[in-house]
Amino acid sequence: MKKLTLASLLLVCSYSANASINEQQLATYYQATQGDYSQLDTLYKELQQAHQQQPSDPWTLFYLGGTETLKGDDAWMPWSKMSYTEDGLARMNKALNMISEEQWQQQYRHLPQAIFMQATAAVTYTRVPDFFNYQDQGMQLFKQVLNDQRFLQSPAPATSWVYRFAIEAALNNQQPALAEQWFKQLQQTGVKDNYSQLTAQLMAEHGKS
């Protein structure tokens, strides 16, 4: 499975999140997305317990699914890889369908939680192997997020990572025109950070190929 390297690029900033998942658990999750699985089993058990206590909370279910997907990457046996990944993706998808007004009102890294969930799911869906059949859904989520006025009106430094991974996904899915469209949107925000620089490099490399 392709590494889910979102955390290696995420900004470190203040946020408001449900009490169901604490800051350390979120930090452990994003540390695991960089390939450090040393605390993954512990986190998985903690999030299972949190979900049992709050089964109707999509934020908890979403991160439980994400953690389960990472366990699929970490597993040794092929059937374990398949089982964890399939179950994790399904949980993430279920959490997206459970999004309520609360997730639109709560903020995480200066984005509505709902948008952060959708964008994170899009990154995950477009980075797991094609045979899981989540590529198209991931691309649709990217399109949905990048056309959402709430996303477009959010602070540019909070949105650039989404453009970064959306553009990469568009290029990987042979949609260069869409990648160019999103790159122009990113440029129009005026943001100058690691995300925008990496995206510019990616587009330059694509132009040479």
Side-chain angles (χ1 to χ4, degrees):
M1 184 185 298
K2 303 169 188 174
K3 295 295 183 183
L4 308 180
T5 57
L6 175 59
S8 63
L9 299 174
L10 282 173
L11 296 172
V12 177
C13 54
S14 61
Y15 64 89
S16 171
N18 289 344
S20 54
I21 304 178
N22 61 46
E23 183 176 356
Q24 181 57 51
Q25 289 170 329
L26 288 167
T28 300
Y29 175 80
Y30 286 111
Q31 184 176 343
T33 66
Q34 297 182 70
D36 181 356
Y37 297 145
S38 60
Q39 301 299 317
L40 190 61
D41 288 342
T42 299
L43 176 64
Y44 181 54
K45 292 176 182 177
E46 291 175 352
L47 294 184
Q48 282 182 311
Q49 293 175 355
H51 175 57
Q52 289 173 358
Q53 294 170 0
Q54 300 189 59
S56 63
D57 177 24
W59 185 247
T60 303
L61 179 61
F62 184 79
Y63 279 98
L64 173 58
T67 301
E68 204 162 21
T69 303
L70 290 170
K71 280 183 68 66
D73 191 28
D74 188 41
W76 283 93
M77 298 300 181
W79 52 88
S80 296
K81 284 182 173 292
M82 289 291 295
S83 178
Y84 278 125
T85 304
E86 288 177 342
D87 289 349
L89 293 170
R91 288 185 196 276
M92 294 178 78
N93 203 45
K94 182 178 180 180
L96 294 181
N97 292 327
M98 291 169 59
I99 286 175
S100 66
E101 184 60 28
E102 181 179 359
Q103 282 71 53
W104 287 108
Q105 295 300 323
Q106 291 280 352
Q107 294 280 311
Y108 180 69
R109 297 186 185 272
H110 302 302
L111 288 173
Q113 277 188 355
I115 287 180
F116 196 93
M117 291 167 67
Q118 291 168 348
T120 302
V123 175
T124 305
Y125 293 174
T126 54
R127 284 178 162 252
V128 295
D130 293 347
F131 57 76
F132 285 106
N133 296 317
Y134 274 82
Q135 288 289 326
D136 289 345
Q137 187 173 348
M139 290 304 300
Q140 287 301 317
L141 280 170
F142 273 133
K143 292 175 184 178
Q144 180 178 325
V145 168
L146 270 63
N147 282 303
D148 193 307
Q149 287 301 312
R150 289 159 292 197
F151 173 82
L152 297 174
Q153 294 169 5
S154 296
T159 64
S160 56
W161 68 269
V162 183
Y163 284 108
R164 157 75 179 87
F165 289 103
I167 290 167
E168 179 183 66
L171 292 175
N172 289 339
N173 282 274
Q174 289 75 52
Q175 299 183 52
L178 184 58
E180 185 63 38
Q181 173 190 327
W182 286 341
F183 184 49
K184 289 180 180 178
Q185 282 184 221
L186 173 60
Q187 290 178 310
Q188 288 170 359
T189 69
V191 66
K192 303 293 183 182
D193 60 7
N194 288 338
Y195 306 112
S196 60
Q197 292 174 12
L198 287 169
T199 306
Q201 293 173 9
L202 184 65
M203 292 298 291
E205 291 171 0
H206 176 75
K208 295 176 182 178
S209 61

